[in-house]
Amino acid sequence: MKKPYSWQVLLILFAIYLILVAFFPGLNLIFNYFRLTLLLALAFLWLGVERKNTILFFIGLSFSSLYMREIIPYSYTTFNVGPLFFGILVLGIAIHSINKKRNQDKLLQFETASTATIHSSATNYLNIEANFTDKYEYSTAPALQAISIKTFFANVQVDLSEAQFEKDMTHLIMKNTVSNCRIRIPKNVTIVNNLKSGLGELYLPPTPQATTHQLYLTGTNTLGTITIQYAE
């Protein structure tokens, strides 16, 4: 399966541009034309669409409002940029919150066929790191004690349904940044949530009546989505 290289292509093009500016200073006029606010607006708008993230998309719209002064004649700029910027940002937060409540009970199914990298592990200490990629991890640990997941602009799916959890408590440490992480666990495991989430989404299933193990969730979730569901 082909991997997307959109980020790498953009970085290569930007690197080539910087190298050309070193030899041809006149090309620096491009920055003077677009302005930093426009570059930030386009970046956040692209990230919002790419990751289907409402907050990122509205941050892009907010920076677009700052750039409006550059393209509208000064005689027509009767609006205040500050309230417009924060108004659009607050609107994005409100829509993000509405979508979060509407999707609170939705269980997202695993789609292993769409992932780029598939790993199977029998270790009791699971360490997963994914940057700018898709990854699927399947665990068959005999006594799973700790899981560490670190993601950055990635899509990660972790299947723990066949793993045997440690008797006392299994620790799940997350550092999810602008990523989508889905985790499937056995029905006999209850979740103890101590995750710090900054403008992120966390979906937890209802706790079943009979549980024998605990999964202690800690870490951070920044502008990302974490979904934990029980295996069927």
Side-chain angles (χ1 to χ4, degrees), residues 14 38 40 45 67 77 86 93 115 137 149 157 166 180 182 186 208-209 213 221:
F14 186 62
L38 179 60
L40 291 173
L45 287 172
Y67 184 71
T77 55
F86 289 105
I93 295 174
T115 57
E137 188 87 17
I149 302 177
Q157 300 184 76
E166 182 69 8
N180 183 27
R182 306 175 188 177
Q209 295 182 352
H213 298 74
N221 179 30

Side-chain angles (χ1 to χ4, degrees), residues 178-195:
V178 200
S179 300
N180 183 27
C181 185
R182 306 175 188 177
I183 304 170
R184 184 160 59 179
I185 62 176
K187 286 187 175 181
N188 64 335
V189 178
T190 183
I191 303 169
V192 180
N193 179 30
N194 196 28
L195 183 76

Side-chain angles (χ1 to χ4, degrees), residues 2-230:
K2 295 183 179 180
K3 297 182 180 181
Y5 291 102
S6 55
W7 268 101
Q8 291 84 345
V9 171
L10 289 176
L11 289 176
I12 290 174
L13 292 176
F14 186 62
I16 292 175
Y17 168 72
L18 293 177
I19 294 172
L20 290 175
V21 168
F23 293 96
F24 305 98
L27 293 177
N28 196 37
L29 293 175
I30 296 178
F31 269 143
N32 295 334
Y33 176 77
F34 281 107
R35 307 293 182 183
L36 179 61
T37 52
L38 179 60
L39 293 177
L40 291 173
L42 293 176
F44 279 108
L45 287 172
W46 180 76
L47 287 174
V49 174
E50 179 78 8
R51 294 295 167 182
K52 298 180 180 179
N53 191 300
T54 307
I55 293 293
L56 291 177
F57 182 79
F58 273 87
I59 289 177
L61 289 180
S62 299
F63 279 108
S64 299
S65 68
L66 298 179
Y67 184 71
M68 289 177 65
R69 283 193 178 274
E70 304 293 336
I71 60 177
I72 300 179
Y74 285 101
S75 59
Y76 294 98
T77 55
T78 58
F79 59 89
N80 294 322
V81 175
L84 179 61
F85 177 88
F86 289 105
I88 295 175
L89 186 60
V90 171
L91 178 62
I93 295 174
I95 295 176
H96 174 82
S97 179
I98 292 173
N99 290 335
K100 180 178 179 179
K101 289 183 179 296
R102 291 179 60 184
N103 297 327
Q104 189 68 41
D105 298 327
K106 185 184 294 185
L107 294 180
L108 303 176
Q109 300 300 321
F110 277 35
E111 298 176 355
T112 59
S114 65
T115 57
T117 307
I118 301 178
H119 296 284
S120 178
S121 175
T123 178
N124 291 327
Y125 296 90
L126 195 59
N127 185 26
I128 302 171
E129 185 170 351
N131 300 314
F132 302 103
T133 188
D134 294 342
K135 179 175 288 188
Y136 177 86
E137 188 87 17
Y138 180 80
S139 176
T140 57
L144 189 60
Q145 299 182 31
I147 309 131
S148 175
I149 302 177
K150 183 178 181 181
T151 61
F152 186 72
F153 288 99
N155 181 37
V156 175
Q157 300 184 76
V158 184
D159 191 348
L160 306 175
S161 58
E162 297 299 324
Q164 301 298 320
F165 281 58
E166 182 69 8
K167 289 184 178 181
D168 296 331
M169 180 180 290
T170 299
H171 292 266
L172 172 56
I173 305 171
M174 300 284 306
K175 188 176 182 182
N176 191 57
T177 307
V178 200
S179 300
N180 183 27
C181 185
R182 306 175 188 177
I183 304 170
R184 184 160 59 179
I185 62 176
K187 286 187 175 181
N188 64 335
V189 178
T190 183
I191 303 169
V192 180
N193 179 30
N194 196 28
L195 183 76
K196 295 180 180 179
S197 189
L199 298 178
E201 297 177 341
L202 174 63
Y203 300 115
L204 300 177
T207 303
Q209 295 182 352
T211 60
T212 57
H213 298 74
Q214 286 187 333
L215 180 65
Y216 189 70
L217 176 61
T218 60
T220 59
N221 179 30
T222 306
L223 292 172
T225 302
I226 299 176
T227 303
I228 302 179
Q229 65 186 85
Y230 287 116

